Amino acid sequence: MEIDHNTLVAFSKSWGLFYLLGFFICVLIYAFWPSNRKRFDRAKKSILDQDDKPWK
Amino acid sequence: MIDKLTYSERQSASFILVAVAVVGLLMAAFGNSNQLGVHGVIVMIFAAALLYPVLSAIYAPEPVEDREASYYDDPIKVGIVLAMAWAIFGMFMGVWVAAQLAWPNLAFDAAWSTFGRLRPTHTSGIIFGFGGNALIATSFHVVQRTSRARLAGQVSPWFVLFGYNLFCVLAVSGYFIGVTQSKEYAEAEWYADLWLVVVWVTYFILYLRTLARRKEPHIYVANWYFMAFILVVAMLHIVNNLAIPIAWSSAKSYTIWPGVQDAMVQWWYGHNAVAFFLTAGFLGMLYYYLPVRAQRPIFSYRLSILSFWGIVFFYMWAGSHHLHYTALPHWVQTLGMTFSVMLLVPSWASAGNALLTLNGAWDRVRSDATLRFMMAAAVFYGLSTFEGSFLAIRPVNALSHYTDWTVGHVHAGALGWVALITFGSIYTLVPTLWKRERMYSAALIEWHFWLAIAGTLIYIFAMWNSGIIQGLMWRTYTGENTLAYSFVDSLVAMYPYYIARAFGGLLFLIGAAIGCYNIWMTVKAVPSTVPATPDAPETAAAVPGE
């Protein structure tokens, strides 16, 4: 099959749009995966600890 | 600063600087008396000015303490000073070009001071000089604190910071002498662009290596925003600046992109520069300094992840909304418009997340102007992203495009969002960085805040009025189906708004100058939180009498 301008346009108009939405669904699953909740909660609180030295 | 480097690190720094000076010499030799030659001399002066302090301290005692036991803050301090210096320069140029629009005589009949040359010194001075230095400084700070690890390099942070500023100096000085590749926000020519690639790749590697040595297992969300900023800007910069110089001895080059593809690549670059330079990096600041200043964790960490990936996926496609009603295929315009409207979701998720973090701490927002800077930034972020989605809709764009409405929209973002979040972050950062109890004067921060708010509001209201009047005048037809107003008629109608806009910008500039004074006095006059240690070694008394 010859790949010409029209082929690329057709590809961009269809899959080019929907693979991004597919990515986004993966992110939704990651963000709301129940076992990640504890990790996220710790992460958002940990930046408030005020020890101004690198950890050993 | 140089006493914190080992002897071999001082040697590598000198070697790099000599190499840069040699490149400058070659540019001067090949470029002869044209613009490339002028830039060669500037490169040599820049390298020599940095080489002098390095060489004069090259045999100074080496650091004895364990450097890994502390964060590397020296480059951050210099970065903040440079950011504030560029802020004053860039804002001054902005006030000047704004005044030129009202009073054209302010160009003083010289080539270097015409509007076309001064305007990019304002945009590059603010975006790259002020914004870029603030981003480099805060990213170095945030990545160390959230990773609980020191920067993965001693010389490379300096290379990134000063190398980047060399790019800014080449860009801005070039505009005065007529160097430009005529691409908005990418005006710098091929040799400066190549140099920025080297600097930027070093920046990305330094950031990744620092993250790789992190002691905190989770990578905090602010780092994701900074990483997206660094990675995507590299990508945009390289693709948009693919160009062939007319000769190795010339500053002039031509882009490899032909016709409408050039336009598309340029606005894919241009709008993603807004997305990843002026949004993602500054959201990184917001997600770190706002919770730290408010002493409250971010309202929803999950939402911050969703808005991050939303911005990354959606923004990539939005650039074509700059090319409505052009030769660009209609479906590409529609694609850009659709994604621009969808962008409202992740944008408002971030703005809402910031404001909900403050919910329950409004008394602190009332009493603490630094926190209020960040709150106002989140509000302006929400407003300008709403306006942006709206302006990207094709029929709305028919009214707004080429008018001052666009200029007002950009400044709602640049003044209201980018500059306010930066000032809020800097006021949070300066006392901790220099180990001071507090900023020198809380009253001066209040002054800065209200001048900045007043300046921004005057600016954007003037441009809304002016832009909509312009747009309407250009599309008003008479009964005989001819245009009712000439272009000059619309120009006369702009006059009062141009004066108001210059005044708004002037207020903003005065606020920034007050900020500089306050930072200077904090470093000079506020008592340190760390007790002073005696300078003499304590064992001196053990060898009495000789």
Side-chain angles (χ1 to χ4, degrees):
Chain A
M1 192 185 87
E2 200 193 338
I3 299 175
D4 59 1
H5 176 74
N6 287 329
T7 324
L8 289 175
V9 169
F11 184 79
S12 318
K13 279 182 172 177
S14 54
W15 297 107
L17 186 61
F18 288 109
Y19 83 92
L20 279 178
L21 299 176
F23 273 149
F24 198 74
I25 291 167
C26 297
V27 174
L28 272 179
I29 294 171
Y30 167 73
F32 284 95
W33 200 260
S35 62
N36 282 342
R37 173 191 274 274
K38 223 163 72 192
R39 186 164 9 144
F40 295 156
D41 275 348
R42 206 186 61 77
K44 73 175 180 181
K45 296 203 176 83
S46 74
I47 61 158
L48 302 178
D49 299 343
Q50 291 296 322
D51 56 334
D52 207 34
K53 275 195 181 1
W55 289 351
K56 285 291 165 192
Chain B
M1 312 248 159
I2 293 154
D3 56 347
K4 298 275 177 61
L5 299 176
T6 62
Y7 177 65
S8 67
E9 286 157 1
R10 290 172 203 161
Q11 272 185 318
S12 347
S14 318
F15 177 76
I16 294 169
L17 287 168
V18 169
V20 170
V22 168
V23 173
L25 185 66
L26 289 174
M27 285 165 68
F30 278 104
N32 221 329
S33 58
N34 76 21
Q35 295 140 329
L36 189 70
V38 176
H39 269 163
V41 174
I42 290 179
V43 170
M44 281 195 288
I45 294 172
F46 192 93
L50 292 175
L51 195 58
Y52 177 73
V54 176
L55 285 185
S56 49
I58 198 151
Y59 295 118
E62 296 200 334
V64 284
E65 77 275 14
D66 175 19
R67 291 187 298 184
E68 295 303 314
S70 65
Y71 294 125
Y72 199 13
D73 286 346
D74 288 348
I76 307 174
K77 292 178 183 172
V78 175
I80 286 178
V81 171
L82 287 169
M84 292 307 290
W86 277 107
I88 297 298
F89 169 80
M91 288 173 196
F92 171 78
M93 295 314 284
V95 175
W96 186 1
V97 289
Q100 276 194 3
L101 288 177
W103 303 288
N105 283 341
L106 289 174
F108 306 118
D109 249 352
W112 66 270
S113 56
T114 47
F115 181 84
R117 291 195 185 182
L118 293 194
R119 191 247 180 196
T121 68
H122 163 60
T123 52
S124 290
I126 288 297
I127 299 173
F128 299 118
F130 170 53
N133 276 301
L135 285 168
I136 291 174
T138 53
S139 70
F140 284 170
H141 182 253
V142 170
V143 72
Q144 294 188 94
R145 266 57 180 191
T146 55
S147 304
R148 315 282 179 178
R150 187 180 166 96
L151 280 177
Q154 306 295 330
V155 179
S156 55
W158 293 113
F159 178 79
V160 171
L161 186 66
F162 285 121
Y164 180 74
N165 278 278
L166 176 58
F167 166 79
C168 295
V169 166
L170 287 182
V172 168
S173 62
Y175 309 148
F176 287 115
I177 54 175
V179 176
T180 177
Q181 53 179 17
S182 314
K183 279 172 171 268
E184 200 169 16
Y185 313 129
E187 292 93 346
E189 269 290 358
W190 61 275
Y191 47 95
D193 289 338
L194 284 176
W195 172 245
L196 185 61
V197 172
V198 175
V199 171
W200 212 256
V201 170
T202 312
Y203 185 19
F204 189 55
I205 293 171
L206 172 64
Y207 206 88
L208 283 184
R209 285 185 59 223
T210 307
L211 281 176
R213 65 201 304 218
R214 70 187 185 278
K215 299 292 190 304
E216 157 69 51
H218 183 82
I219 300 178
Y220 185 67
V221 67
N223 288 305
W224 288 97
Y225 282 97
F226 280 121
M227 265 195 297
F229 147 65
I230 303 169
L231 180 65
V232 177
V233 166
M235 200 167 90
L236 300 167
H237 174 74
I238 292 170
V239 175
N240 190 40
N241 288 301
L242 289 174
I244 298 171
I246 56 171
W248 292 114
S249 56
S250 168
K252 183 72 200 139
S253 71
Y254 285 96
T255 180
I256 68 160
W257 304 109
V260 75
Q261 290 166 25
D262 182 26
M264 183 64 250
V265 169
Q266 159 60 25
W267 285 109
W268 169 77
Y269 164 89
H271 201 75
N272 281 309
V274 176
F276 290 91
F277 207 103
L278 296 176
T279 303
F282 291 91
L283 281 171
M285 282 187 204
L286 180 84
Y287 278 114
Y288 181 78
Y289 293 105
L290 180 91
V292 163
R293 185 72 190 187
Q295 278 301 302
R296 299 164 68 85
I298 195 79
F299 169 72
S300 167
Y301 197 78
R302 285 172 168 168
L303 194 58
S304 73
I305 298 174
L306 291 180
S307 35
F308 171 75
W309 289 108
I311 279 179
V312 171
F313 291 153
F314 293 171
Y315 248 124
M316 274 295 153
W317 302 84
S320 54
H321 71 227
H322 287 256
L323 298 165
H324 282 321
Y325 304 102
T326 64
L328 192 74
H330 200 258
W331 70 270
V332 184
Q333 299 177 22
T334 310
L335 188 75
M337 173 174 100
T338 314
F339 271 93
S340 306
V341 174
M342 282 155 64
L343 258 175
L344 192 58
V345 177
S347 303
W348 274 28
S350 280
N353 212 349
L355 293 177
L356 285 169
T357 303
L358 294 173
N359 202 13
W362 294 113
D363 54 318
R364 299 264 296 281
V365 176
R366 198 156 47 236
S367 59
D368 179 7
T370 303
L371 196 54
R372 211 179 314 127
F373 260 112
M374 295 195 254
M375 188 278 291
V379 172
F380 274 108
Y381 178 63
L383 289 176
S384 56
T385 48
F386 173 76
E387 191 185 28
S389 297
F390 182 62
L391 291 176
I393 299 169
R394 201 185 279 109
V396 182
N397 205 260
L399 175 67
S400 75
H401 204 180
Y402 308 115
T403 73
D404 289 331
W405 193 353
T406 309
V407 183
H409 166 62
V410 170
H411 283 82
L415 301 172
W417 156 240
V418 169
L420 293 193
I421 189 68
T422 305
F423 292 137
S425 302
I426 286 180
Y427 284 138
T428 307
L429 187 50
V430 163
T432 55
L433 210 53
W434 271 275
K435 310 233 183 315
R436 296 291 184 268
E437 292 165 356
R438 55 187 166 76
M439 284 299 293
Y440 168 68
S441 162
L444 288 180
I445 302 180
E446 285 287 347
W447 270 98
H448 183 184
F449 176 80
W450 289 111
L451 282 167
I453 293 292
T456 307
L457 289 178
I458 291 172
Y459 193 112
I460 59 182
F461 273 97
M463 290 294 96
W464 276 337
N465 274 309
S466 146
I468 292 171
I469 291 174
Q470 250 178 332
L472 290 175
M473 287 176 87
W474 293 346
R475 57 157 57 175
T476 304
Y477 286 85
T478 60
E480 290 82 49
N481 258 342
T482 57
L483 286 171
Y485 302 99
S486 72
F487 183 78
V488 173
D489 289 335
S490 72
L491 205 56
V492 172
M494 298 306 96
Y495 185 59
Y497 303 113
Y498 283 167
I499 295 174
R501 179 252 292 271
F503 178 66
L506 180 66
L507 293 185
F508 206 88
L509 169 66
I510 295 171
I514 291 175
C516 288
Y517 174 74
N518 206 355
I519 292 167
W520 172 253
M521 292 305 286
T522 304
V523 176
K524 253 190 74 154
V526 174
S528 172
T529 49
V530 186
T533 46
D535 216 16
E538 286 170 15
T539 49
V543 278
E546 302 270 22

